[in-house]
Structures are given as C-alpha cells and as structure tokens.
Amino acid sequence: MFWPPDYHMHTPLCRHASGEPTEYAARARAIGLTEIGFTDHSPMRRDDFDNWRMRFDQLAEYVEKVRRAQKEHPALSIKLGLEVDYLPGHEDWIRELASLHPWDYFIGSVHYVSDSWAVDNPEDIAKWKNRDAFEVWSIYFDRLTMAAESGFFEIIGHADLPKKFNIRPQQDCAPLFARFLDVVARKDLAIELNTAGLRKDCKEIYPSRSLLDMAAARKIPITFGSDAHAVAEVGMGFDQALELARAAGYVHSLRFDRRRRSQILL
Ligand SMILES: [Zn+2]
Ligand SMILES: [Zn+2]
C-alpha cells in the first residue's frame, strides 16, 4: 500500500502531545510510511503568549529530538519543519525563526483570530457564543490570506480550521475560500489535507471537499498531514485523505527538502 509523507506531527515540547519523535518514526515505519516530517508548534517571541507550544529556549532541543529520530531510523526519510503561527505583526519573528535552523519546510497556520482567541482551543469555546460565526470565519480567512501572502511558508495548514467544533456560518463561505486560494495559487504554495478533523466534532478532513475542489481548479498542490499529537495518530485517516484527493482530481502530492519541493505520484 502506498502512503504519501505525513508532514504534520508534534512532540511533547508543545505541552499537549505525547510520545517522542523516535517513537512516531517507529510507528510510521510499522504502518508502511517512507517519509514523515515533524512540525511542532513554533515558539513565540514571548514565552508567556500561551501555554500550548515550546519555549524559545527549547527550539534546539526540538531539532535535537528530530535528529535523534533520523539517526535511529535511517530507513525512513524524516524532515525538519515547524508549524508556525501566523499573526499580523509577527513577521519579523517568523523571519528570525526561519534563519535559525536548516528547515525543510514551514507550515503556516492560523489559530488566532485575535491575540487572545485561538479558534481551535477548547478552553476558548465559550467565545463562539457571543460572536457571529461568519464574522469569525471571515477574520480567520483574512488572516489565512495574509499568511499565504507573507511568503514565509511552503504549506498552509488545516485551511478551514474554524469548523473544528462544527460551528458553521449560514452564509456561503465560497468567496472567502476563493480570495484565499487565489493568493495561494499566485504565491505557488501548497495546502495540506489534514486528517485531524476526522477526530474532531466536525468529523471531516481539513479542508472540506468544496474548498479542495476550488483548490484543484486552481492547480494548487497538496501535502498530507495527520497532525499527530500521539504515536497512534501517525498516518491516521490517510486512506480517507487519499480517497478525497483522488476524488478532487489530484494525482500528485509534494515533498520538501531544505525548502525545495518535488512531486510524488499518488
Ligand atoms: Zn497542537
Ligand atoms: Zn494547527
């Protein structure tokens, strides 16, 4: 059975994941993956920004953990990445992070729709009650479009993350998707098929079939990610992700090496 690389995996340094990278690598080999990439949550300039990421002084330890997994699993290709939060005003910080290690790729993700509200954080779920869902989705896609425009990222993460708790706007979101995807296409970026959504209330892959069809129409390439926060989640849902990709007409996915991309036949 062929599986594309799993390009979205976390480590315990982010304080809400379990299992060491070398254990994720062992699991990847056991289920037949040939390539994986670690993309733990990037540190912020201020370590007290929130409590669900590594501190900045742990970044070297993170890289060390990935290097150890590479040494212990020479038969597996293991890439070094980061899932970097995009917030307006953080551009200098992201540029600085990019300069610190020989990264293979950055996933650019939007979690925050304000400096204090991450749309996917269960602790913040009450905030949805006081807000119009379409307004929240609009802010999210504005920021995601800015992330795509920023030029810092190879891959845009979980493109319709606000659906996580299945709180969906009445309005048609296609214009938000279109504006975002037009920038992704112009900047020649990839989007990921992230299977974590299958494990959440929304019960579907990020992004939805409708968003993915719009991406396919623009010839936007894809990667695959389990967003594993535990060893058992490595490669989880990839059968459904492959089926979705193929249904949308995809025949390739991308891999990255020192920020250079190449194609893999699906
Ligand atoms: Zn996480
Ligand atoms: Zn994320």
Side-chain angles (χ1 to χ4, degrees):
M1 186 72 195
F2 163 81
W3 300 115
D6 186 343
Y7 263 11
H8 194 146
M9 303 193 309
H10 292 274
T11 83
L13 290 172
C14 70
R15 293 176 270 179
H16 61 281
S18 60
E20 292 299 320
T22 194
E23 298 174 89
Y24 284 49
R27 173 70 184 162
R29 290 196 65 199
I31 61 174
L33 295 181
T34 56
E35 182 164 305
I36 60 174
F38 287 92
T39 50
D40 209 358
H41 297 287
S42 59
M44 294 288 192
R45 191 183 287 284
R46 291 179 49 131
D47 286 327
D48 62 358
F49 187 86
D50 60 24
N51 61 0
W52 50 272
R53 63 188 65 253
M54 68 182 87
R55 300 188 311 265
F56 177 56
D57 69 3
Q58 293 174 307
L59 188 64
E61 185 185 346
Y62 167 65
V63 174
E64 248 333 286
K65 283 176 184 285
V66 175
R67 297 297 182 220
R68 198 176 316 139
Q70 288 170 333
K71 277 196 199 83
E72 290 172 6
H73 301 276
L76 185 68
S77 170
I78 302 179
K79 299 300 175 188
L80 176 67
L82 267 184
E83 180 182 17
V84 179
D85 275 79
Y86 178 81
L87 287 92
H90 287 221
E91 289 81 1
D92 286 348
W93 176 240
I94 299 169
R95 198 173 291 115
E96 199 173 319
L97 285 173
S99 72
L100 295 177
H101 293 279
W103 309 106
D104 289 307
Y105 60 93
F106 272 3
I107 295 179
S109 290
V110 171
H111 303 101
Y112 282 94
V113 291
S114 74
D115 277 0
S116 58
W117 181 13
V119 282
D120 62 328
N121 191 341
E123 289 173 23
D124 289 339
I125 196 163
K127 293 188 171 132
W128 281 96
K129 294 206 172 66
N130 312 317
R131 295 289 287 272
D132 175 64
F134 186 69
E135 188 197 340
V136 179
W137 282 57
S138 298
I139 296 168
Y140 172 85
F141 273 97
D142 280 351
R143 290 183 167 211
L144 204 66
T145 305
M146 290 169 76
E149 187 73 65
S150 73
F152 294 128
F153 313 117
E154 280 73 29
I155 303 164
I156 299 294
H158 44 57
D160 57 359
L161 182 68
K163 76 183 176 189
K164 176 177 173 178
F165 302 117
N166 213 25
I167 302 169
R168 297 168 186 267
Q170 305 285 319
Q171 292 90 331
D172 178 17
C173 289
L176 307 179
F177 302 165
R179 196 163 46 92
F180 159 64
L181 292 169
D182 285 345
V183 174
V184 171
R186 176 162 51 77
K187 301 294 265 188
D188 206 14
L189 312 180
I191 61 171
E192 67 164 0
L193 267 61
N194 180 313
T195 60
L198 293 169
R199 313 191 290 270
K200 311 297 181 192
D201 295 339
C202 61
K203 295 273 184 279
E204 59 175 47
I205 289 168
Y206 308 111
S208 64
R209 174 69 192 268
S210 63
L211 194 154
L212 189 64
D213 282 342
M214 292 172 71
R218 290 165 174 78
K219 302 200 173 348
I220 291 168
I222 53 169
T223 60
F224 291 78
S226 64
D227 212 340
H229 286 69
V231 173
E233 291 172 354
V234 172
M236 203 177 249
F238 270 32
D239 47 348
Q240 290 172 72
L242 266 177
E243 198 180 304
L244 175 65
R246 288 178 176 137
Y250 281 96
V251 291
H252 293 102
S253 75
L254 294 187
R255 53 190 304 267
F256 290 91
D257 186 60
R258 297 292 296 269
R259 314 200 88 141
R260 278 208 195 88
R261 76 194 212 181
S262 52
Q263 281 190 333
I264 311 169
L265 198 61
L266 292 178

